[in-house]
Amino acid sequence: MNTTRVEASSLVDACKHLGETGWRLATIAVADSEAPELRYIFQGPRGEGWEQLVVRPQPGSRTVPSLTPSNVSADWFEREIEDLFAIDFVGHPRLGDFVLHDNRWAEGVGPMRPGAPIREALVERAWQPRRVLREEGAFVMPVGPVYAGEAESALFLLETVGEDVVRAVPRLFYKYRGVEKLAQGRSAQDALLLVERANGTSAFAHAWTYCMAVESIVGINVPERARHLRMIFAEMERVRRHCAVIRAIVDSTALWVGASRLLELEERLLRACGAVAGHRYLFGLAAIGGLQRDVDDEALRSIAHEYAEVGKRIRVTVEELAHTSSFLDRVQRVGVLDTRHANEFGAVGPFARASGVASDVRQLQPYGGYADVELEVPTANEGDGYARLRVLTDELRVSTALIGRLASHVPSGDVRSDWSPHRGEALGWTEAPGGTSVQLLMLDDDARCVNLRFTPPSFRNWQNFRWVTEDFAFQDFPIILSTCGLSVAENDR
Amino acid sequence: MIARHAAVAALGALLSAAMIIAGAAAIAHHPIAATLPALPFLGAPRFVMTPFSGFFTLFAGLVAFPTSIYSAAYLERYPRSSKAWFALGYLLLLLSVVGIFSAADVVSFFVAWEIMTLTSSALVAYEWHDRGRVRAAIGMLVMSEFGTAATILALLLAAHPAGALSFASIARESSAISMPARVFIALLSFFGFGVKAGILPFNSWLPRAYPAAPSNVTAVVAGVLVNCGVYGMLLVNLVLVPENAALFGGLALLFGSLSAIAGILYATIEDDLKRMLAYSSIENLGIVVAALGAGAVFLSMDRLDLAALGFGAGLWHMSNHSLFKSLLFLGTGAIEMRAGTRRMNALGGLARAMPLTAFVFLIGVLAIASVPPLNGFASEWLTLETLLRSAEIAPAAIKVGFVLVGALLALTAALALTCFVKAYAMTFLGVARSDAARDAKADVSRAACAGMTLLAVLCLLAGIFPAYVVQLVDAALPGVLHGHLSQVLLPPFLAANGGGLPQAFVHDFTAIGAAIGTGLIPGRGLVLLHRGAAANPVVFAMSSTYIAAFAGIIVAAIFLAILVVRHRRKSAAAIWVGGLNPHLPEMSYTATGFSNPVRVIFEAVFDPRTVEHTREAVHDHFRVAVTRQREDAFIADRLVTEPLVAKARSYAVSLARMHHGRLEGYVLYALGALVAVLLVSLFL
Amino acid sequence: MNWFLRGVFGGIRTTRYPKKPETTPGTTPGFPVRAEHADAQQRSLTLVCPTSALVESGDAVDVRDDRCVHCMRCAPGVAPSPLTWRYDPQWAHATRGTIEDAALGGTFRRSMHVRVVDAGDCGACLSEILHLNDPLYNMHRLGIFITPTPRQADVLLVVGPVTEQMRLPLLEAYEAMPEPKRVLAIGACAASGGVFGPSFTSAGGVADVLPVDLVVPGCPPPPLAIIDALLALAGSRAR
């Protein structure tokens, strides 16, 4: 990773230059030991790597110029940092009430700062939603934070005059568990547990990202067998998670038979994971230096076969859905995200790929063993609910085929390298099921976690949600929500 | 000051009590007649109260009496306006109404009519310092005068063959009226009186004037004055020129049903309670006129039984509308007194502060939404059913017409339910959406409550004992129809011969009716039923009395069940809103929001004008405001009044060019006029 | 119509549990069992355990169920001398008295409504709860239903460590429920805070906020274990 130090005053221009040459903002990290130091990490175009701009605010001040007016994809990063580190971004139009809700926490707590008086800042006070719709009889329809049957906790404020919703604003972070803060001071191994459990449905991908960062800090190579198996498990997780999203889409259109069938297929995938890896959600499988446990090659092949079989059935179901007009009517042309917005707001993963942004870190900055495998990255251009469904289905096909190819010749050997502590800082990245997951990790001499910046794909995609939900009919809301396939837990961390 | 309010109220109550007594006496065949001293040129005005006009007078009195009592409290809203002027206008208005209903010749009818028109417009503009209200009153006056002119023309045309202006002589010679004249009479009288009755297309004054007037005036305008329009239509086309039945029937069915659907559509999307009720008046009078039209068509085919059904349904619905509409207007007045606004978007949750108003308003709302066992249900049921009976008449084209009208009215009834669920829920339930609504702490004063309660009781009684009202309506039906309604509608066990129904059926109903009717509730006729002709042997039966009893039992059972279950499961927590704390007023449904689906579905009818639609954002991406404003101009305004006014303006502009100020030009005009007069006189 | 027919002709795939045990591999990750006479290597597992779920007591290694987050460090295939793991679905334990004391009983045996509240869950527990609707598990056959409003709920099923910002919504949901009511904590986070709590933004499990009746540990507990706990609350669990 290329590191450049820039002055706060020239930051905006430097970022603008990178943005114009095809680099996308991947995350903004803060190292806040004595004085805060901000790292703007950019992801290069295909064939390029990562670029880091380091900025220090003026001594004694906690303000930096905001990138948001010139690069909107920085919007949520800056809002998050403002809440968590109490760093002010000058020129940002909308700070406050983000991670820490205004009705529970006092302004300017900055819980990620060392020694911040966090619990003392708890308050109970009124909060008013921001409203933009000015029309006779306009009102806000709140959905959440506790809603539907088994939905994740999040609040959506739908601005409407009835029937037609002008926009839906998500208010997230009800589930803020402070993974990044909790990781500070823990051993590298224990912090892995936190990262793994930040989002149970993409646990392996995030664990791999983390392990990748640790491995490049301590400077070890992962055994060939583990590299291979990691790809297999990551793709298994992708297939299962895509199946769950497809099921949620079908469920939201009230097509119970299809939804039940997909639920059953998803359970078969979970059982396959459980049978081969010992855990249905692949917890405790990834380890620094490789994998925590080895798996039987024969079992792996039979599981690959099971995945191929289930994958085929999922595709058959989706094929049947494509011939069900009542289903198509409800997913086509709803929740459209156009390519321009997807690009500007830094969307990632299948969510972006359905809007014509072919961003897949497995292809752009290959890691693990992905440089050696042939990879097809399906995309679509419409950016509507149906395009997202098609991209998910195609990816599912690609992934099951990849699992089959990988499982047919697994190299033999160890699955774990030994490692010894080393201080340093490194970036880890993977293509999680939901999109690019980026982690910037800093370890000290005892391999204790000094600083962890964890940017999951859902965080970057939720930013786009407000474009997906402009001017839609109220009854389409659950469908739009489900087609986006965004995880609240992953976003809230 | 209080004494003055009370005096106005007492005078009004006295006069309306007299109206009730006179009306009731007339219906009971004790006609009252009076001849005033002769006037120069116009002869001696003569007034006769027939059973037909007695019916109108009775209900005018039944509306005016509670309204007068209510006024004692309501007039407190206008501390600076003159009570004496109000009293003068109000009493003159009531007197003129009596005059209209009992006039026996053209001149006295129109003298009374003009007094009514002028005083009502003056009362609408009671708050004369408010320009908007004055404009509404002037609009009402202008449209009414055009209507009056048309109706004068119609009556003069009708009086032409008779050569006399008394109603009796016109009716005697009506067969001598030529066909083209009859067409003119039908058109002029229908649209002329239609202005007052609130029938499309000349009713745009109504949604403006109703909200402008004080609520007690609106109650009288809506409960009594619109009936004058209906009276006029019937007087000309049924009493004076009965040959016009078919013509009138066709017009009434078409414009009645269109008024009904247009009225209820605009009522549903309306936010202002009073304007919503005004549109709803258009709807209800549309139903009334459509039912009367059906009766007229049946009459022209000499189906007296069906004609009695149609006219009966129409008159019945009209009287019901008078009761519940004036109740609702009084209720709105009460809301305005306490919450200071009648915008439903700014109301909400008033039931806690104003329990009695909420309860009587609920009765009114249920009645107007035609929910059994309230009075609106029985008459609307009968209206729809009359239209169904068209299956018995021959020409297919007429049948199709009836079916279409029936479908429109059915849609109207469904929308009415939506509309009034909204009206009640948005006003009385949920959370207050404005500080004014939150600050409403107490119910209105005793006099106001008494007025509203009286009307609510009348609605309830008229609903539960429809058979009595049927007899009243029947007695009022003019001429040939008289007596048919009871015969058709009241249960066969009351008729000596069993009404021509199968014996077993008669026996069953006799048993049920007799058992319940004699045992529990005094009186007879708890079931309204009648039977189609041989070709259509369907039995139509309805009893809001049984429905009331049944509903009572169910409600009691539910209460019992709640009492029993309460001990097992209870939760005293605040309403559950998804864990969102606190639940803010702006997060509850608004009236506009509730009715927006209707607005979206019927977009083609409303044809809204987008006044403003802007989106503002900072840095292109952060929405700060989406401003939208649209206007739904009333369809009569959009299609009739506005183009007419525009046309009139442009003509006025071109006529104004004649005033060019050159002498020779004016001489030329004079010469031209002289030549024209000479030519005309030569040819005539 | 097509979809209906496909549903009908799909046949019955539902598990026979609880009448017959479910033994398909992968339905459960298993759970460590207390080792009575632990060897030295087993005792050293207490140092490896990241959440102190394993504690030495005498010569035994005891498992504190609530704290286990399925890190798998003491599992067969990972640890050189692993603890014994059990694979039955009966993971639930009561917080006061016995499991039977927590049962609602009576008519709830045949119909019990559950409101699920996500108080900071990672998605795994919620996914397992979702699978209760799966045709393979189908909790409806057992008279257990998920309801969207706590007003009609008999059981409050809580997942997640209870984050600070979910504390009030959770309390409101509990207060909105009519008596009698039960609280069921699902998963290690809800049981003890798991890897997250207690912390500056999370409570140490649901019990810190509400009176909990029944706890199902595990990270996440599999659908069968959740069904078992729900049946226990309904009062119809097989003995």
Side-chain angles (χ1 to χ4, degrees), chain A residues 72 75 94 128-129 131-137 139-140 144-146 161-163 344-345 466-467 470-471, chain B residues 271 343 345 576-578 580 584 586-590 592-593 596-597 615 619 621-628:
Chain A
V72 270
D75 175 19
R94 223 163 259 183
Q128 287 279 334
R131 299 172 67 187
V132 298
L133 179 59
R134 297 190 191 134
E135 186 176 357
E136 179 60 47
F139 63 102
V140 176
V146 181
V161 274
E163 204 68 9
E344 285 180 358
F345 277 77
R466 64 180 128 143
W467 295 113
E470 277 218 322
D471 296 314
Chain B
D271 168 37
R343 286 183 49 232
N345 280 341
W576 169 249
V577 283
L580 187 64
L584 301 165
E586 61 258 41
M587 290 184 181
S588 72
Y589 244 98
T590 57
T592 315
N596 209 40
R615 292 158 180 275
H619 305 312
H621 288 295
F622 298 91
R623 283 261 175 278
V624 287
V626 175
T627 314
R628 297 197 303 189

Side-chain angles (χ1 to χ4, degrees), chain B residues 110-442:
Chain B
F110 278 109
V111 168
W113 186 271
E114 270 308 296
I115 296 175
M116 178 271 281
T117 305
L118 289 169
T119 50
S120 59
S121 300
L123 284 175
V124 166
Y126 184 53
E127 287 171 81
W128 53 269
H129 40 77
D130 183 338
R131 283 176 62 101
R133 291 172 205 270
V134 175
R135 282 184 63 165
I138 290 174
M140 173 185 178
L141 186 65
V142 169
M143 290 199 79
S144 300
E145 289 305 340
F146 272 110
T148 313
T151 48
I152 290 180
L153 206 57
L155 274 170
L156 289 181
L157 275 173
H160 185 65
L165 290 176
S166 87
F167 287 162
S169 51
I170 294 174
R172 242 189 336 270
E173 301 294 330
S174 68
S175 52
I177 304 172
S178 66
M179 184 59 201
R182 271 182 25 220
V183 173
F184 274 114
I185 292 171
L187 286 171
L188 287 170
S189 68
F190 182 80
F191 291 116
F193 285 119
V195 172
K196 200 93 271 184
I199 296 300
L200 280 181
F202 303 112
N203 55 2
S204 22
W205 65 272
L206 203 147
R208 292 167 205 268
Y210 277 27
S215 285
N216 50 347
V217 174
T218 321
V220 172
V221 174
V224 179
L225 295 208
V226 287
N227 297 0
C228 294
V230 175
Y231 178 81
M233 284 183 191
L234 288 183
L235 176 74
V236 175
N237 295 298
L238 185 69
V239 178
L240 300 186
V241 194
E243 292 81 1
N244 255 357
L247 269 172
F248 167 73
L251 281 173
L253 277 173
L254 178 63
F255 286 96
S257 52
L258 288 180
S259 300
I261 187 77
I264 197 61
L265 279 176
Y266 279 91
T268 310
I269 64 161
E270 187 53 57
D271 168 37
D272 183 316
L273 258 177
K274 254 184 176 173
R275 196 170 302 140
M276 183 275 286
L277 290 173
Y279 283 125
S280 148
S281 277
I282 295 176
E283 173 233 331
N284 277 291
L285 266 293
I287 295 172
V288 169
V289 168
L292 295 174
V297 171
F298 288 131
L299 184 66
S300 70
M301 297 178 162
D302 282 329
R303 284 294 302 266
L304 289 186
D305 54 338
L306 295 184
L309 267 184
F311 282 111
L315 289 181
W316 193 4
H317 195 66
M318 186 198 75
S319 66
N320 286 337
H321 170 252
S322 296
L323 297 179
F324 52 63
K325 187 50 65 68
S326 46
L327 165 60
L328 290 175
F329 271 120
L330 297 188
T332 306
I335 293 163
E336 237 182 326
M337 268 193 276
R338 284 294 173 261
T341 178
R342 37 170 215 259
R343 286 183 49 232
M344 284 179 264
N345 280 341
L347 291 168
L350 287 180
R352 279 178 290 275
M354 310 172 71
L356 188 110
T357 309
F359 183 71
V360 293
F361 204 86
L362 180 64
I363 290 181
V365 156
L366 291 177
I368 200 167
S370 312
V371 175
L374 284 137
N375 56 350
F377 167 72
S379 48
E380 198 153 333
W381 175 82
L382 204 61
T383 306
L384 286 173
E385 201 213 280
T386 311
L387 294 169
L388 284 183
R389 293 287 297 268
S390 66
E392 291 166 24
I393 52 179
I398 297 183
K399 271 189 211 176
V400 171
F402 270 78
V403 167
L404 286 177
V405 170
L408 276 182
L409 292 192
L411 179 60
T412 304
L415 283 168
L417 200 61
T418 315
C419 175
F420 285 96
V421 164
K422 172 189 109 171
Y424 190 76
M426 292 303 149
T427 310
F428 290 103
L429 308 181
V431 290
R433 281 179 294 274
S434 69
D435 292 336
R438 228 182 329 273
D439 293 344
K441 287 285 181 269

Side-chain angles (χ1 to χ4, degrees), chain B residues 64-80:
Chain B
F65 186 72
T67 308
S68 306
I69 297 174
Y70 174 94
S71 299
Y74 188 77
L75 286 176
E76 283 169 26
R77 280 200 74 201
Y78 308 103
R80 284 177 306 144

Side-chain angles (χ1 to χ4, degrees), chain C residues 29-50:
Chain C
F31 208 87
V33 182
R34 176 188 161 97
E36 280 305 337
H37 303 287
D39 57 32
Q41 277 191 318
Q42 282 176 329
R43 272 204 290 278
S44 71
L45 286 173
T46 55
L47 303 173
V48 175
C49 182

Side-chain angles (χ1 to χ4, degrees), chain A residues 231-370:
Chain A
M231 282 195 284
I232 294 179
F233 286 123
E235 295 307 318
M236 279 167 70
E237 189 174 67
R238 191 183 319 279
V239 170
R240 196 205 65 231
R241 186 266 185 188
H242 282 5
C243 174
V245 174
I246 295 172
R247 188 221 31 96
I249 296 172
V250 179
D251 197 44
S252 69
T253 60
L255 201 61
W256 307 127
V257 179
S260 296
R261 192 198 280 184
L262 287 163
L263 200 58
E264 190 189 328
L265 292 171
E266 193 194 334
E267 173 70 15
R268 277 176 66 175
L269 298 177
L270 283 168
R271 288 178 180 182
C273 284
V276 69
H279 195 283
R280 288 154 62 88
Y281 295 89
L282 303 174
F283 287 6
L285 188 61
I288 297 162
L291 293 175
Q292 188 161 242
R293 56 159 44 152
D294 201 355
V295 292
D296 179 40
D297 283 4
E298 200 42 53
L300 206 58
R301 269 191 289 277
S302 76
I303 292 305
H305 187 260
E306 170 80 348
Y307 263 70
E309 167 70 17
V310 171
K312 203 174 83 193
R313 280 171 181 261
I314 295 170
R315 287 204 307 281
V316 168
T317 307
V318 173
E319 188 60 31
E320 282 164 0
L321 288 169
H323 291 101
T324 305
S325 62
S326 64
F327 175 78
L328 288 181
D329 285 347
R330 303 210 65 189
V331 293
Q332 278 176 335
R333 284 181 295 282
V334 303
V336 179
L337 176 71
D338 60 39
T339 312
R340 187 176 73 91
H341 281 138
N343 249 326
E344 285 180 358
F345 277 77
V348 288
F351 182 69
R353 296 196 278 272
S355 294
V357 180
S359 146
D360 189 326
V361 79
R362 289 176 294 172
Q363 204 176 45
L364 300 179
Q365 285 83 24
Y367 58 94
Y370 282 112

Side-chain angles (χ1 to χ4, degrees), chain C:
Chain C
M1 198 60 200
N2 273 346
W3 288 98
F4 171 73
L5 290 177
R6 275 185 216 126
V8 168
F9 292 114
I12 296 173
R13 252 88 51 93
T14 309
T15 174
R16 300 281 293 150
Y17 181 85
K19 287 195 180 125
K20 284 185 185 150
E22 173 68 58
T23 52
T24 317
T27 46
T28 168
F31 208 87
V33 182
R34 176 188 161 97
E36 280 305 337
H37 303 287
D39 57 32
Q41 277 191 318
Q42 282 176 329
R43 272 204 290 278
S44 71
L45 286 173
T46 55
L47 303 173
V48 175
C49 182
T51 51
S52 331
L54 303 182
V55 283
E56 277 188 77
S57 67
D59 66 341
V61 170
D62 199 12
V63 181
R64 292 194 290 175
D65 290 1
D66 288 356
R67 304 210 58 88
C68 174
V69 294
H70 279 91
C71 67
M72 298 288 174
R73 291 179 194 172
C74 62
V78 179
S81 174
L83 295 181
T84 319
W85 280 47
R86 63 190 173 97
Y87 293 90
D88 66 289
Q90 306 208 328
W91 294 22
H93 67 81
T95 52
R96 299 178 293 264
T98 65
I99 288 181
E100 283 69 27
D101 295 339
L104 283 160
T107 50
F108 296 102
R109 275 173 231 258
R110 265 164 270 125
S111 166
M112 186 175 74
H113 289 252
V114 181
R115 168 72 240 193
V116 181
V117 173
D118 165 17
D121 172 63
C122 71
C125 288
L126 272 184
S127 169
E128 296 293 49
I129 290 164
L130 194 81
H131 279 283
L132 301 179
N133 264 324
D134 191 318
L136 295 172
Y137 295 108
N138 187 13
M139 64 177 158
H140 296 168
R141 79 202 147 99
L142 303 166
I144 302 166
F145 306 94
I146 287 183
T147 168
T149 164
R151 289 259 171 199
Q152 292 154 15
D154 312 307
V155 172
L156 188 68
L157 192 161
V158 191
V159 288
V162 189
T163 57
E164 196 50 59
Q165 287 169 165
M166 277 308 290
R167 178 192 291 265
L168 290 181
L170 176 65
L171 278 170
E172 263 184 51
Y174 178 75
E175 273 153 25
M177 286 168 65
E179 294 283 354
K181 54 188 168 190
R182 297 288 183 272
V183 177
L184 173 60
I186 294 283
C189 295
S192 66
V195 293
F196 298 114
S199 77
F200 71 104
T201 181
S202 302
V206 185
D208 282 4
V209 181
L210 289 178
V212 174
D213 296 282
L214 213 58
V215 173
V216 186
C219 190
L224 287 179
I226 302 171
I227 287 185
D228 174 66
L230 286 169
L231 287 177
L233 277 181
S236 53
R237 182 161 87 152
R239 310 217 165 194

